[in-house]
Tab-separated table of all heavy atoms in Angstrom:
chain	number	residue	atom	x	y	z
H	166	ARG	N	-85.629	207.890	56.935
H	166	ARG	CA	-86.009	208.936	55.934
H	166	ARG	C	-86.461	208.247	54.670
H	166	ARG	O	-87.203	208.894	53.851
H	166	ARG	CB	-84.794	209.787	55.636
H	166	ARG	CG	-85.077	210.997	54.791
H	166	ARG	CD	-85.992	212.008	55.418
H	166	ARG	NE	-85.483	212.532	56.700
H	166	ARG	CZ	-86.116	213.317	57.505
H	166	ARG	NH1	-87.338	213.738	57.165
H	166	ARG	NH2	-85.576	213.752	58.663
H	167	LEU	N	-86.132	206.988	54.445
H	167	LEU	CA	-86.550	206.258	53.281
H	167	LEU	C	-87.733	205.344	53.598
H	167	LEU	O	-88.116	204.504	52.801
H	167	LEU	CB	-85.387	205.426	52.778
H	167	LEU	CG	-84.015	206.069	52.765
H	167	LEU	CD1	-82.934	205.155	52.289
H	167	LEU	CD2	-84.003	207.349	51.965
H	168	CYS	N	-88.299	205.520	54.762
H	168	CYS	CA	-89.294	204.551	55.226
H	168	CYS	C	-90.573	205.213	55.718
H	168	CYS	O	-91.520	205.314	54.994
H	168	CYS	CB	-88.668	203.665	56.291
H	168	CYS	SG	-89.476	202.063	56.506
H	169	MET	N	-90.580	205.640	56.972
H	169	MET	CA	-91.875	206.035	57.601
H	169	MET	C	-92.086	207.516	57.721
H	169	MET	O	-93.069	207.949	58.390
H	169	MET	CB	-91.974	205.408	59.004
H	169	MET	CG	-92.117	203.911	59.032
H	169	MET	SD	-90.628	202.949	58.733
H	169	MET	CE	-89.507	203.611	59.905
H	170	VAL	N	-91.231	208.335	57.198
H	170	VAL	CA	-91.296	209.827	57.512
H	170	VAL	C	-92.561	210.477	56.936
H	170	VAL	O	-93.066	211.432	57.513
H	170	VAL	CB	-90.019	210.555	57.116
H	170	VAL	CG1	-88.874	210.193	57.993
H	170	VAL	CG2	-89.719	210.293	55.647
H	171	SER	N	-93.034	209.988	55.818
H	171	SER	CA	-94.225	210.594	55.259
H	171	SER	C	-95.406	210.321	56.202
H	171	SER	O	-96.278	211.169	56.469
H	171	SER	CB	-94.549	210.014	53.868
H	171	SER	OG	-93.653	210.533	52.916
H	172	ALA	N	-95.480	209.082	56.733
H	172	ALA	CA	-96.522	208.751	57.685
H	172	ALA	C	-96.348	209.601	58.948
H	172	ALA	O	-97.336	210.099	59.507
H	172	ALA	CB	-96.522	207.256	58.011
H	173	GLY	N	-95.106	209.720	59.403
H	173	GLY	CA	-94.874	210.494	60.640
H	173	GLY	C	-95.265	211.953	60.467
H	173	GLY	O	-95.931	212.509	61.377
H	174	ALA	N	-94.954	212.553	59.317
H	174	ALA	CA	-95.346	213.943	59.091
H	174	ALA	C	-96.862	214.103	59.020
H	174	ALA	O	-97.483	215.022	59.573
H	174	ALA	CB	-94.680	214.487	57.802
H	175	GLY	N	-97.506	213.133	58.351
H	175	GLY	CA	-98.936	213.218	58.224
H	175	GLY	C	-99.645	213.025	59.573
H	175	GLY	O	-100.594	213.736	59.893
H	176	ASN	N	-99.151	212.111	60.359
H	176	ASN	CA	-99.716	211.833	61.690
H	176	ASN	C	-99.572	213.053	62.582
H	176	ASN	O	-100.508	213.407	63.323
H	176	ASN	CB	-99.037	210.659	62.349
H	176	ASN	CG	-99.443	209.303	61.794
H	176	ASN	OD1	-100.501	209.183	61.209
H	176	ASN	ND2	-98.568	208.316	61.865
H	177	LYS	N	-98.428	213.746	62.505
H	177	LYS	CA	-98.242	214.911	63.335
H	177	LYS	C	-99.147	216.079	62.914
H	177	LYS	O	-99.674	216.818	63.742
H	177	LYS	CB	-96.773	215.305	63.332
H	177	LYS	CG	-95.856	214.387	64.093
H	177	LYS	CD	-94.429	214.803	64.132
H	177	LYS	CE	-94.229	215.913	65.120
H	177	LYS	NZ	-92.815	216.272	65.309
H	178	LYS	N	-99.327	216.196	61.589
H	178	LYS	CA	-100.232	217.238	61.135
H	178	LYS	C	-101.674	216.968	61.549
H	178	LYS	O	-102.392	217.892	61.944
H	178	LYS	CB	-100.194	217.292	59.559
H	178	LYS	CG	-99.022	218.098	58.977
H	178	LYS	CD	-99.096	217.999	57.481
H	178	LYS	CE	-98.083	218.935	56.801
H	178	LYS	NZ	-98.513	220.345	56.852
H	179	ALA	N	-102.104	215.742	61.513
H	179	ALA	CA	-103.473	215.438	61.763
H	179	ALA	C	-103.790	215.243	63.252
H	179	ALA	O	-104.801	215.699	63.762
H	179	ALA	CB	-103.879	214.150	61.032
H	180	PHE	N	-102.859	214.551	63.958
H	180	PHE	CA	-103.127	214.188	65.342
H	180	PHE	C	-102.219	214.804	66.367
H	180	PHE	O	-102.450	214.805	67.565
H	180	PHE	CB	-102.992	212.674	65.522
H	180	PHE	CG	-103.859	211.873	64.558
H	180	PHE	CD1	-103.319	211.009	63.593
H	180	PHE	CD2	-105.252	211.962	64.618
H	180	PHE	CE1	-104.046	210.272	62.754
H	180	PHE	CE2	-106.025	211.235	63.698
H	180	PHE	CZ	-105.454	210.396	62.796
H	181	GLY	N	-101.074	215.385	65.886
H	181	GLY	CA	-100.078	215.925	66.807
H	181	GLY	C	-99.216	214.929	67.432
H	181	GLY	O	-98.389	215.229	68.316
H	182	LEU	N	-99.326	213.665	67.008
H	182	LEU	CA	-98.549	212.534	67.589
H	182	LEU	C	-98.412	211.505	66.528
H	182	LEU	O	-99.303	211.262	65.719
H	182	LEU	CB	-99.321	211.979	68.816
H	182	LEU	CG	-98.676	210.856	69.642
H	182	LEU	CD1	-99.112	210.971	71.109
H	182	LEU	CD2	-99.136	209.475	69.092
H	183	ASP	N	-97.262	210.785	66.525
H	183	ASP	CA	-96.912	209.897	65.441
H	183	ASP	C	-96.869	208.444	65.983
H	183	ASP	O	-95.807	207.966	66.430
H	183	ASP	CB	-95.591	210.343	64.845
H	183	ASP	CG	-95.075	209.325	63.831
H	183	ASP	OD1	-95.910	208.542	63.261
H	183	ASP	OD2	-93.882	209.317	63.560
H	184	ARG	N	-97.976	207.750	65.942
H	184	ARG	CA	-98.020	206.340	66.322
H	184	ARG	C	-99.305	205.727	65.757
H	184	ARG	O	-100.336	206.421	65.624
H	184	ARG	CB	-98.009	206.197	67.805
H	184	ARG	CG	-97.471	204.827	68.314
H	184	ARG	CD	-98.025	204.457	69.713
H	184	ARG	NE	-99.310	203.766	69.612
H	184	ARG	CZ	-100.007	203.345	70.692
H	184	ARG	NH1	-99.539	203.606	71.936
H	184	ARG	NH2	-101.173	202.771	70.562
H	185	ILE	N	-99.313	204.443	65.446
H	185	ILE	CA	-100.541	203.762	65.093
H	185	ILE	C	-101.551	203.950	66.227
H	185	ILE	O	-101.164	203.968	67.429
H	185	ILE	CB	-100.284	202.290	64.829
H	185	ILE	CG1	-101.447	201.619	64.145
H	185	ILE	CG2	-99.874	201.523	66.080
H	185	ILE	CD1	-101.158	200.211	63.630
H	186	SER	N	-102.838	204.077	65.916
H	186	SER	CA	-103.843	204.426	66.925
H	186	SER	C	-104.245	203.246	67.819
H	186	SER	O	-104.745	203.453	68.902
H	186	SER	CB	-105.033	205.050	66.262
H	186	SER	OG	-105.701	204.072	65.417
H	187	ASN	N	-104.103	202.020	67.316
H	187	ASN	CA	-104.637	200.850	68.022
H	187	ASN	C	-103.576	199.707	67.953
H	187	ASN	O	-102.735	199.700	67.146
H	187	ASN	CB	-105.895	200.362	67.358
H	187	ASN	CG	-106.992	201.379	67.266
H	187	ASN	OD1	-106.796	202.430	66.666
H	187	ASN	ND2	-108.160	201.093	67.770
H	188	THR	N	-103.852	198.667	68.797
H	188	THR	CA	-103.084	197.481	68.693
H	188	THR	C	-103.667	196.592	67.610
H	188	THR	O	-104.799	196.753	67.138
H	188	THR	CB	-103.088	196.721	70.021
H	188	THR	OG1	-104.406	196.138	70.217
H	188	THR	CG2	-102.753	197.611	71.172
H	189	TRP	N	-102.928	195.555	67.256
H	189	TRP	CA	-103.405	194.602	66.256
H	189	TRP	C	-104.633	193.840	66.730
H	189	TRP	O	-105.384	193.333	65.903
H	189	TRP	CB	-102.300	193.631	65.866
H	189	TRP	CG	-101.024	194.284	65.361
H	189	TRP	CD1	-99.775	194.058	65.794
H	189	TRP	CD2	-100.940	195.246	64.313
H	189	TRP	NE1	-98.876	194.792	65.091
H	189	TRP	CE2	-99.540	195.590	64.160
H	189	TRP	CE3	-101.837	195.920	63.506
H	189	TRP	CZ2	-99.090	196.481	63.236
H	189	TRP	CZ3	-101.390	196.818	62.559
H	189	TRP	CH2	-100.027	197.084	62.436
H	190	GLU	N	-104.834	193.747	68.044
H	190	GLU	CA	-105.998	193.047	68.530
H	190	GLU	C	-107.315	193.652	67.969
H	190	GLU	O	-108.274	192.952	67.705
H	190	GLU	CB	-106.006	193.081	70.076
H	190	GLU	CG	-105.092	192.073	70.714
H	190	GLU	CD	-105.427	190.643	70.417
H	190	GLU	OE1	-106.633	190.306	70.505
H	190	GLU	OE2	-104.498	189.835	70.071
H	191	ASP	N	-107.346	194.988	67.868
H	191	ASP	CA	-108.518	195.647	67.325
H	191	ASP	C	-108.787	195.275	65.891
H	191	ASP	O	-109.959	195.283	65.396
H	191	ASP	CB	-108.418	197.176	67.487
H	191	ASP	CG	-108.835	197.678	68.858
H	191	ASP	OD1	-109.462	196.907	69.600
H	191	ASP	OD2	-108.578	198.859	69.160
H	192	LEU	N	-107.707	195.057	65.147
H	192	LEU	CA	-107.819	194.685	63.722
H	192	LEU	C	-108.705	193.422	63.549
H	192	LEU	O	-109.437	193.357	62.562
H	192	LEU	CB	-106.432	194.455	63.183
H	192	LEU	CG	-106.271	194.132	61.689
H	192	LEU	CD1	-106.810	195.230	60.816
H	192	LEU	CD2	-104.816	193.878	61.380
H	193	LYS	N	-108.659	192.518	64.456
H	193	LYS	CA	-109.352	191.233	64.309
H	193	LYS	C	-110.881	191.421	64.296
H	193	LYS	O	-111.593	190.511	63.845
H	193	LYS	CB	-108.973	190.294	65.409
H	193	LYS	CG	-107.506	189.886	65.418
H	193	LYS	CD	-107.232	188.768	66.411
H	193	LYS	CE	-107.441	189.117	67.822
H	193	LYS	NZ	-106.960	188.041	68.774
H	194	HIS	N	-111.374	192.523	64.786
H	194	HIS	CA	-112.835	192.727	64.933
H	194	HIS	C	-113.355	193.817	64.056
H	194	HIS	O	-114.526	194.199	64.232
H	194	HIS	CB	-113.140	192.994	66.391
H	194	HIS	CG	-112.636	191.954	67.340
H	194	HIS	ND1	-113.279	190.717	67.474
H	194	HIS	CD2	-111.554	191.905	68.171
H	194	HIS	CE1	-112.612	189.953	68.345
H	194	HIS	NE2	-111.534	190.668	68.747
Side-chain angles (χ1 to χ4, degrees):
R166 187 65 59 185
L167 318 178
C168 202
M169 290 79 53
V170 289
S171 289
N176 286 336
K177 290 183 75 174
K178 278 177 172 285
F180 306 117
L182 183 149
D183 174 23
R184 203 205 88 181
I185 193 170
S186 65
N187 304 56
T188 71
W189 302 129
E190 284 295 314
D191 275 349
L192 181 61
K193 296 190 297 187
H194 304 284

